[in-house]
Amino acid sequence: MNTAELIASRRMTRKLSGVLQQRMELYLSCLAGSFSPVNVLGKYINGQGKANVSNDDLAFNLIQERYSSLAAEEPFNLKKSLSAPVDVYSHSPGLYKFSYERVIEDENAELQVFDILSPNRWILGYTGFDLRDFRDQVQQRKAIEGNRLEDYLLHYLLMCQVMESNPKLNTLLSDLNIRVEEVRLAGLGSMPFVMLTAEIDSFLPEDSVLLEVSSVSGTNQFEELIDIDSIKEQPSKLRLLVEALL
């Protein structure tokens, strides 16, 4: 990949990634009610004492156990347990960009750490609980915009439980060519997160290209590139289902 091809691919990737995120956010806004923690915790949420949700006793016990286990671990080290009623500050789903580190050895045998941004993967959480702020909380141990570390921990756990409790929601997203999976993120221990992936292919150029770009731009931030051909070949899950029945 030469310089001109790289520039063109990066420009197209950013355009397509923006469109993908807009569509993803549209889908989530239409399904917003399905992501509310009230759907699983019912009366255990502060202010929802009259909510009638089946199995909310079991759901609360489960998230209480998960919270207690994770809170006591590195890197959180929280001592306070989760008790009812639970304070929930957001009920609307939010998308947060997924990135990861890649370590490359340069020509001087020195290790360069790159921050790689994905154009087609997002972490699903709740509005007001940005993933970057969560990481900052863990590092700084300081509340951000009034939200404490335990609030971030709880709200991301709630999203995992909402998705686990609603298989139909997972099926619907899959039909929209959105893959749902549970992942762990570097620096955040064994904390589970829900990742949404638009099912198109993306890739990183060769390490030598990243090193060259870094030497010119002065930054070690890079974005995976979307494989345009994979979009043309991407089948609709719903179309495949219908074809299988014919």
Side-chain angles (χ1 to χ4, degrees):
M1 176 176 284
N2 59 40
T3 302
E5 291 172 335
L6 176 62
I7 292 174
S9 185
R10 293 186 76 174
R11 184 181 297 118
M12 181 58 69
T13 290
R14 289 171 181 170
K15 181 178 180 180
L16 291 174
S17 182
V19 171
L20 287 173
Q21 180 158 343
Q22 289 175 2
R23 300 298 292 184
M24 196 88 73
E25 289 172 342
L26 175 62
Y27 299 151
L28 294 181
S29 66
C30 292
L31 299 168
S34 299
F35 293 97
S36 173
V38 177
N39 295 331
V40 291
L41 289 190
K43 62 180 178 291
Y44 286 94
I45 292 180
N46 200 2
Q48 300 291 332
K50 295 183 179 180
N52 184 18
V53 175
S54 62
N55 297 321
D56 56 357
D57 296 328
L58 180 62
F60 177 73
N61 290 335
L62 178 58
I63 201 164
Q64 190 177 45
E65 291 176 6
R66 286 180 168 178
Y67 179 92
S68 297
S69 176
L70 285 167
E73 295 178 359
E74 292 283 351
F76 308 113
N77 300 312
L78 298 171
K79 298 181 180 180
K80 187 177 180 180
S81 60
L82 184 67
S83 58
V86 177
D87 290 321
V88 174
Y89 302 107
S90 177
H91 295 254
S92 301
L95 281 181
Y96 301 105
K97 286 280 191 179
F98 170 70
S99 63
Y100 61 94
E101 289 187 350
R102 179 173 176 80
V103 180
I104 301 175
E105 184 176 304
D106 63 19
E107 59 184 7
N108 298 317
E110 295 181 354
L111 298 180
Q112 302 286 336
V113 180
F114 285 80
D115 182 29
I116 308 297
L117 184 66
S118 172
N120 64 327
R121 287 178 283 178
W122 295 265
I123 297 300
L124 179 61
Y126 287 100
T127 55
F129 291 89
D130 193 299
L131 182 60
R132 291 170 299 181
D133 291 341
F134 189 12
R135 290 187 180 280
D136 289 343
Q137 282 263 3
V138 171
Q139 295 173 1
Q140 301 174 15
R141 317 298 294 188
K142 181 180 179 181
I144 296 177
E145 295 183 356
N147 293 321
R148 302 164 299 171
L149 179 56
E150 49 262 47
D151 297 327
Y152 284 86
L153 183 65
L154 172 63
H155 282 72
Y156 277 100
L157 272 179
L158 282 171
M159 181 57 77
C160 285
Q161 191 142 335
V162 165
M163 296 303 294
E164 289 174 6
S165 67
N166 193 346
K168 293 180 181 179
L169 188 56
N170 285 268
T171 299
L172 178 57
L173 292 172
S174 178
D175 287 344
L176 293 170
N177 286 341
I178 300 171
R179 186 169 70 251
V180 181
E181 57 188 319
E182 186 177 287
V183 299
R184 303 294 187 273
L185 302 180
L188 293 173
S190 59
M191 175 81 188
F193 292 87
V194 176
M195 176 181 284
L196 301 184
T197 302
E199 293 200 8
I200 57 175
D201 295 334
S202 61
F203 66 97
L204 271 179
E206 296 179 355
D207 290 351
S208 59
V209 175
L210 270 65
L211 290 170
E212 182 179 353
V213 171
S214 175
S215 67
V216 174
S217 65
T219 178
N220 279 18
Q221 292 184 325
F222 204 84
E223 186 174 25
E224 291 179 350
L225 304 174
I226 289 177
D227 183 351
I228 305 302
D229 290 335
S230 74
I231 299 177
K232 301 173 183 178
E233 299 170 357
Q234 177 62 47
S236 162
K237 290 289 183 66
L238 193 57
R239 176 171 65 81
L240 289 177
L241 179 63
V242 172
E243 289 178 348
L245 297 174
L246 297 178

